[in-house]
mmCIF file with all atom_site columns, all heavy atoms in Angstrom:
data_model
loop_
_atom_site.group_PDB
_atom_site.id
_atom_site.type_symbol
_atom_site.label_atom_id
_atom_site.label_alt_id
_atom_site.label_comp_id
_atom_site.label_asym_id
_atom_site.label_entity_id
_atom_site.label_seq_id
_atom_site.pdbx_PDB_ins_code
_atom_site.Cartn_x
_atom_site.Cartn_y
_atom_site.Cartn_z
_atom_site.occupancy
_atom_site.B_iso_or_equiv
_atom_site.pdbx_formal_charge
_atom_site.auth_seq_id
_atom_site.auth_comp_id
_atom_site.auth_asym_id
_atom_site.auth_atom_id
_atom_site.pdbx_PDB_model_num
ATOM 1  N N   . GLN A 1 585 ? 69.148 -21.947 27.820 1.00 90.00 ? 690 GLN A N   1
ATOM 2  C CA  . GLN A 1 585 ? 67.979 -22.064 28.699 1.00 90.00 ? 690 GLN A CA  1
ATOM 3  C C   . GLN A 1 585 ? 68.318 -22.999 29.856 1.00 90.00 ? 690 GLN A C   1
ATOM 4  O O   . GLN A 1 585 ? 68.867 -24.088 29.652 1.00 90.00 ? 690 GLN A O   1
ATOM 5  C CB  . GLN A 1 585 ? 66.791 -22.631 27.906 1.00 90.00 ? 690 GLN A CB  1
ATOM 6  C CG  . GLN A 1 585 ? 65.602 -23.051 28.744 1.00 90.00 ? 690 GLN A CG  1
ATOM 7  C CD  . GLN A 1 585 ? 64.791 -21.874 29.234 1.00 90.00 ? 690 GLN A CD  1
ATOM 8  O OE1 . GLN A 1 585 ? 64.328 -21.072 28.444 1.00 90.00 ? 690 GLN A OE1 1
ATOM 9  N NE2 . GLN A 1 585 ? 64.639 -21.755 30.546 1.00 90.00 ? 690 GLN A NE2 1
ATOM 10 N N   . LYS A 1 586 ? 68.036 -22.554 31.077 1.00 93.00 ? 691 LYS A N   1
ATOM 11 C CA  . LYS A 1 586 ? 68.250 -23.413 32.238 1.00 93.00 ? 691 LYS A CA  1
ATOM 12 C C   . LYS A 1 586 ? 67.136 -24.454 32.298 1.00 93.00 ? 691 LYS A C   1
ATOM 13 O O   . LYS A 1 586 ? 65.947 -24.119 32.203 1.00 93.00 ? 691 LYS A O   1
ATOM 14 C CB  . LYS A 1 586 ? 68.271 -22.591 33.521 1.00 93.00 ? 691 LYS A CB  1
ATOM 15 C CG  . LYS A 1 586 ? 69.508 -21.692 33.634 1.00 93.00 ? 691 LYS A CG  1
ATOM 16 C CD  . LYS A 1 586 ? 69.533 -20.929 34.946 1.00 93.00 ? 691 LYS A CD  1
ATOM 17 C CE  . LYS A 1 586 ? 70.812 -20.089 35.023 1.00 93.00 ? 691 LYS A CE  1
ATOM 18 N NZ  . LYS A 1 586 ? 70.900 -19.321 36.293 1.00 93.00 ? 691 LYS A NZ  1
ATOM 19 N N   . VAL A 1 587 ? 67.541 -25.729 32.458 1.00 94.00 ? 692 VAL A N   1
ATOM 20 C CA  . VAL A 1 587 ? 66.575 -26.827 32.453 1.00 94.00 ? 692 VAL A CA  1
ATOM 21 C C   . VAL A 1 587 ? 66.903 -27.803 33.568 1.00 94.00 ? 692 VAL A C   1
ATOM 22 O O   . VAL A 1 587 ? 67.999 -27.782 34.142 1.00 94.00 ? 692 VAL A O   1
ATOM 23 C CB  . VAL A 1 587 ? 66.565 -27.573 31.097 1.00 94.00 ? 692 VAL A CB  1
ATOM 24 C CG1 . VAL A 1 587 ? 66.163 -26.649 29.965 1.00 94.00 ? 692 VAL A CG1 1
ATOM 25 C CG2 . VAL A 1 587 ? 67.928 -28.204 30.821 1.00 94.00 ? 692 VAL A CG2 1
ATOM 26 N N   . ILE A 1 588 ? 65.930 -28.675 33.871 1.00 94.00 ? 693 ILE A N   1
ATOM 27 C CA  . ILE A 1 588 ? 66.157 -29.784 34.798 1.00 94.00 ? 693 ILE A CA  1
ATOM 28 C C   . ILE A 1 588 ? 65.639 -31.065 34.165 1.00 94.00 ? 693 ILE A C   1
ATOM 29 O O   . ILE A 1 588 ? 64.840 -31.040 33.230 1.00 94.00 ? 693 ILE A O   1
ATOM 30 C CB  . ILE A 1 588 ? 65.450 -29.555 36.153 1.00 94.00 ? 693 ILE A CB  1
ATOM 31 C CG1 . ILE A 1 588 ? 63.938 -29.368 35.959 1.00 94.00 ? 693 ILE A CG1 1
ATOM 32 C CG2 . ILE A 1 588 ? 66.061 -28.388 36.903 1.00 94.00 ? 693 ILE A CG2 1
ATOM 33 C CD1 . ILE A 1 588 ? 63.144 -29.371 37.257 1.00 94.00 ? 693 ILE A CD1 1
ATOM 34 N N   . ASP A 1 589 ? 66.120 -32.169 34.692 1.00 92.00 ? 694 ASP A N   1
ATOM 35 C CA  . ASP A 1 589 ? 65.645 -33.481 34.248 1.00 92.00 ? 694 ASP A CA  1
ATOM 36 C C   . ASP A 1 589 ? 64.541 -33.918 35.203 1.00 92.00 ? 694 ASP A C   1
ATOM 37 O O   . ASP A 1 589 ? 64.793 -34.237 36.359 1.00 92.00 ? 694 ASP A O   1
ATOM 38 C CB  . ASP A 1 589 ? 66.806 -34.482 34.274 1.00 92.00 ? 694 ASP A CB  1
ATOM 39 C CG  . ASP A 1 589 ? 66.381 -35.855 33.757 1.00 92.00 ? 694 ASP A CG  1
ATOM 40 O OD1 . ASP A 1 589 ? 65.175 -36.034 33.509 1.00 92.00 ? 694 ASP A OD1 1
ATOM 41 O OD2 . ASP A 1 589 ? 67.245 -36.741 33.617 1.00 92.00 ? 694 ASP A OD2 1
ATOM 42 N N   . PHE A 1 590 ? 63.309 -33.907 34.713 1.00 89.00 ? 695 PHE A N   1
ATOM 43 C CA  . PHE A 1 590 ? 62.175 -34.304 35.541 1.00 89.00 ? 695 PHE A CA  1
ATOM 44 C C   . PHE A 1 590 ? 61.650 -35.643 35.032 1.00 89.00 ? 695 PHE A C   1
ATOM 45 O O   . PHE A 1 590 ? 60.981 -35.730 34.013 1.00 89.00 ? 695 PHE A O   1
ATOM 46 C CB  . PHE A 1 590 ? 61.069 -33.239 35.475 1.00 89.00 ? 695 PHE A CB  1
ATOM 47 C CG  . PHE A 1 590 ? 59.822 -33.605 36.220 1.00 89.00 ? 695 PHE A CG  1
ATOM 48 C CD1 . PHE A 1 590 ? 59.820 -33.663 37.606 1.00 89.00 ? 695 PHE A CD1 1
ATOM 49 C CD2 . PHE A 1 590 ? 58.644 -33.901 35.545 1.00 89.00 ? 695 PHE A CD2 1
ATOM 50 C CE1 . PHE A 1 590 ? 58.673 -34.007 38.303 1.00 89.00 ? 695 PHE A CE1 1
ATOM 51 C CE2 . PHE A 1 590 ? 57.488 -34.245 36.236 1.00 89.00 ? 695 PHE A CE2 1
ATOM 52 C CZ  . PHE A 1 590 ? 57.500 -34.298 37.616 1.00 89.00 ? 695 PHE A CZ  1
#
Side-chain angles (χ1 to χ4, degrees):
Q690 169 76 56
K691 291 182 178 180
V692 299
I693 58 170
D694 183 353
F695 176 69

